[in-house]
Amino acid sequence: MSVSVGPGLSIAVLGLGHVGTTTAACLAEAGHRVHGIDTDPDKVAALAAGRSPVVEPGVEELLRRAVRAGSVSAGPSLEAVLDRLDLALVCVGTPAGSDGRLDYRALVDVLRQLGRGLRRRDRSRPPLLVAIRSTLAPGTMDGLVLPTLAAEAGTSPGERFEAAFNPEFLREGSALLDHRSPSRIVLGERVRGAARRLLGIYEGIDAPWFEVPFRLAESVKLLDNGFHALKVAFANEMGRVALAAGVAPELLAEPFLADRRLNLSAAYLRPGGAYGGPCLPKDLAALLAFGRDAGLELPLLAAVRRSNARHVDFILGRILATLPPPGPLLLLGLTFKAGTDDLRDSPNLALAERLLRAGYELEVFDPDLDPERLSGANFAIAAAHHELLRRRLTADLEGAARRARLVVVAKTLPGLAGRLPDDLPVVDIPRLRLP
């Protein structure tokens, strides 16, 4: 695959591990002039000779062609190429320390080298765009990268340099495919539009891209890998359950993976309220009970229930901090989700009771709920929560909103637009928009 991008950029790739080497090979293939930089002389010698410092299918062939064409060079520092650079991509490792925090020592060394180089860079050149591809914790661009570059360069961002965060999503063993066909491109910026120059290196690649603030971009990579780890652990716990049930794990996986409406989809993956209702709490409890009876440890699934309870605690804490009791407070939604009058294991009902116990003057509006029509288990639940359903439930949304000093939206309700005062503070749980 070859992509032509005009005359090409002059790009330094700092750090020749898996990410840096793959990035260098792909950028050279796309028509750019690439300068690989690393403190390891063996990696520098390998790249200069057209050999890959890492094992990654297809990379060495690209490097051989690039070296023969004169589009790749390598060295231990930026000195020889600094004045010619359009872009510097920082790909050094940020390994985990003993406390789990990322180790930024290699990153800081590179930033200092770049900053000192910027002091000597030809002042007639436009600001050098420094894009960090190394994994960072949220807040690192603002708290470490920008201050280090500015201190060493003796200038503020936007003058002699600009900085961006461009996380990589390359898997070892399929890194070329992931570079050529990424799931998306994320560009973290100091100010809107500052990272747009980076799009030149992705020309010809069809993928959705997100131009976002630093902290959002920094969060994406960690969220991705946390979710991947969660999926592996979940699949393995399900494998243990399958074996205990006398079922082949791969056969259990087939109908599970066939569901692309809920299981393999975006369903349930947007932050919001706690789960509840008649199915999820009950069936999770049944699965855990089966595991106990079979002598299995299922710590991930056991933690799901605890995490769900902690989420309700978290939301209650934010409400208490925003408007301490007595309020008054208006809660929109009592059943476990919109479009149903089902109160079984409703986290919204649990939240309402806790708000009452905290001492709030509480009114509740829920157009899905008519206490006179409840039956069966719902009727029994209503009887157990008589105070809440008989004395706190109101059909007068506008009147309750006028009396309230805070509105808590517990579930998505249609037709709210224009019915709440514009100056009334709102806690929107389904969107997890909290003060």
Side-chain angles (χ1 to χ4, degrees):
M1 175 181 176
S2 178
V3 180
S4 175
V5 187
L9 301 172
S10 180
I11 303 172
V13 176
L14 295 98
L16 296 177
H18 257 92
V19 173
T21 298
T22 301
T23 300
C26 290
L27 291 175
E29 179 192 33
H32 302 292
R33 299 177 301 282
V34 180
H35 316 282
I37 309 297
D38 202 287
T39 56
D40 186 334
D42 293 334
K43 291 182 178 180
V44 168
L47 193 75
R51 301 192 312 274
S52 175
V54 299
V55 176
E56 184 61 45
V59 166
E60 189 151 308
E61 180 183 350
L62 294 184
L63 289 176
R64 280 199 302 267
R65 292 207 301 262
V67 168
R68 285 197 299 267
S71 57
V72 166
S73 63
S77 74
L78 288 166
E79 292 298 324
V81 297
L82 190 62
D83 286 340
R84 303 197 302 272
L85 288 182
D86 299 301
L87 172 65
L89 294 176
V90 178
C91 303
V92 297
T94 52
S98 58
D99 60 357
R101 293 182 176 85
L102 298 175
D103 184 342
Y104 295 130
R105 284 177 291 183
L107 174 64
V108 169
D109 288 344
V110 165
L111 294 175
R112 287 173 174 164
Q113 179 187 159
L114 277 166
R116 290 191 295 267
L118 287 168
R119 285 182 180 266
R120 301 186 294 274
R121 180 174 157 90
D122 184 348
R123 292 181 179 272
S124 67
R125 295 282 294 162
L128 178 66
L129 180 58
V130 178
I132 311 299
R133 305 211 75 201
S134 310
T135 301
L136 304 178
T140 306
M141 287 295 296
D142 287 319
L144 176 67
V145 173
L146 290 181
T148 302
L149 282 172
E152 295 293 339
T155 184
S156 299
E159 297 177 4
R160 307 288 308 280
F161 72 92
E162 188 53 79
F165 181 62
N166 179 215
E168 51 81 21
F169 304 100
L170 306 180
R171 296 166 295 169
E172 293 187 20
S174 59
L176 287 187
L177 173 65
D178 292 340
H179 180 93
R180 292 164 172 168
S181 302
S183 59
R184 74 284 203 209
I185 298 163
V186 178
L187 304 175
E189 303 172 297
R190 182 180 63 87
V191 293
R192 182 73 177 173
R196 190 169 291 275
R197 287 176 55 199
L198 264 177
L199 294 179
I201 69 174
Y202 293 112
E203 190 169 321
I205 293 177
D206 184 18
W209 61 275
F210 300 86
E211 213 166 355
V212 299
F214 284 146
R215 287 174 182 264
L216 196 157
E218 291 166 327
S219 302
V220 168
K221 179 66 177 292
L222 295 181
L223 178 67
D224 276 17
N225 284 340
F227 184 49
H228 300 329
L230 177 69
K231 288 188 290 185
V232 171
F234 174 81
N236 287 333
E237 285 199 5
M238 288 303 91
R240 301 201 292 273
V241 168
L243 291 172
V247 176
E250 65 271 19
L251 296 182
L252 177 61
E254 288 182 15
F256 176 82
L257 297 175
D259 180 1
R260 296 180 178 270
R261 181 178 301 170
L262 298 179
N263 291 350
L264 301 185
S265 72
Y268 305 123
L269 283 176
R270 291 196 180 276
Y275 68 75
C279 297
L280 299 187
K282 172 181 69 71
D283 290 354
L284 175 61
L287 189 57
L288 289 169
F290 175 82
R292 288 196 304 272
D293 292 343
L296 296 176
E297 287 191 39
L298 303 174
L300 176 62
L301 288 174
V304 169
R305 188 159 53 184
R306 293 195 298 274
S307 178
N308 198 57
R310 294 294 82 74
H311 194 60
V312 177
D313 295 342
F314 169 75
I315 290 169
L316 178 64
R318 295 297 287 266
I319 294 170
L320 287 165
T322 303
L323 178 68
L329 187 151
L330 171 60
L331 179 68
L332 303 184
L334 202 61
T335 65
F336 87 98
K337 69 176 182 178
T340 179
D341 65 352
D342 203 334
L343 292 166
R344 286 176 290 176
D345 274 311
S346 170
N348 303 327
L349 179 59
L351 176 63
E353 289 289 3
R354 293 183 67 175
L355 290 170
L356 283 177
R357 290 198 298 272
Y360 280 101
E361 297 173 12
L362 180 68
E363 290 189 83
V364 179
F365 174 80
D366 192 333
D368 295 322
L369 190 60
D370 180 354
E372 302 299 330
R373 299 182 60 184
L374 296 177
S375 61
N378 264 347
F379 181 82
I381 293 170
H385 297 272
H386 182 270
E387 157 78 5
L388 184 59
L389 288 168
R390 295 294 179 183
R391 297 184 57 192
R392 307 289 178 156
L393 197 63
T394 179
D396 181 11
L397 173 62
E398 286 78 7
R402 286 194 298 271
R403 291 186 288 273
R405 292 179 56 202
L406 178 69
V407 170
V408 177
V409 180
K411 67 179 185 180
T412 302
L413 294 175
L416 288 180
R419 301 184 67 184
L420 300 176
D422 292 337
D423 59 348
L424 186 60
V426 175
V427 171
D428 192 340
I429 295 174
R431 298 182 182 181
L432 208 60
R433 292 181 178 172
L434 309 176

